[in-house]
Amino acid sequence: MDTNISRHEQWTAQRALILMAVCLMAGVAGGWALRGARRTAETDSAKIANAPQPATTSASAAQTPNPTQLKSMADNQAGPMILRLKTDPKNTDLLINIGNFYYDAQQYPVAIDYYGRALQIMPSDAAVRTDMATAYWYLGNADSAIAEFNKALTYAPTSPSTLFNRGLVKWQGKHDSAGAIADWKKLLATNPNYEARDKVQQMLSDVERQTTTKAAPKV
């Protein structure tokens, strides 16, 4: 079987299970969170990372993999690809797919390593760089995340997922409301058919309202 899957269509049953488990653990299933541009389409954005944790039953908790189990699942799924890399170390599809499995299993340092190796070969891939930036953000490194988002935008200046995610990191990680507003306004202006447009407009309105409230003089 050919495992050299197109990076825009790389879902497998096990990878879907990994991501589903991660979403359940984070309490973001069906919500809004940072996502990379590559997994379904560039309009597939994100769920808020700090979404409220849903109530869980003992049965559902027992069925949800813990972080160690998620890593084991990613190791098992990525293992054959890692073996292939020994004879084909510059295969970017392999590098990106391996990075994806570890990203979805929340093994962000490992994901960053594989994304970085792919980007050494094809530095202009804005989608991969956006995912690497997002992984940095999940590690709490807002500065590195923004630096990689900036690089991605030099290659794809109107990438909606990159603009959305950079705005979110500016807002949540750097308390830069003006920067977030600018990014989201650019996203809406350059991507009129963006499928999450209503959500971005709502977030934009919320941040603008918060900014106005803080700036208003106290009576």
Side-chain angles (χ1 to χ4, degrees), residues 25 64-76 105-107:
M25 290 174 64
T64 302
N66 60 40
T68 299
Q69 291 170 324
L70 284 171
K71 182 180 183 304
S72 178
M73 292 167 67
D75 288 341
N76 290 336
Q106 299 181 332
Q107 305 300 308

Side-chain angles (χ1 to χ4, degrees), residues 17-93:
L17 177 61
I18 291 173
L19 186 57
M20 185 187 308
V22 169
C23 288
L24 289 172
M25 290 174 64
V28 298
W32 192 257
L34 284 170
R35 284 290 300 264
R38 190 190 52 261
R39 286 166 174 71
T40 53
E42 203 162 74
T43 54
D44 180 24
S45 292
K47 307 171 194 140
I48 287 214
N50 59 357
Q53 181 75 24
T56 58
T57 64
S58 58
S60 64
Q63 294 174 357
T64 302
N66 60 40
T68 299
Q69 291 170 324
L70 284 171
K71 182 180 183 304
S72 178
M73 292 167 67
D75 288 341
N76 290 336
Q77 188 67 27
M81 297 182 185
I82 293 173
L83 287 176
R84 285 185 60 190
L85 275 181
K86 292 182 178 180
T87 57
D88 193 7
K90 293 188 177 181
N91 186 317
T92 54
D93 283 333

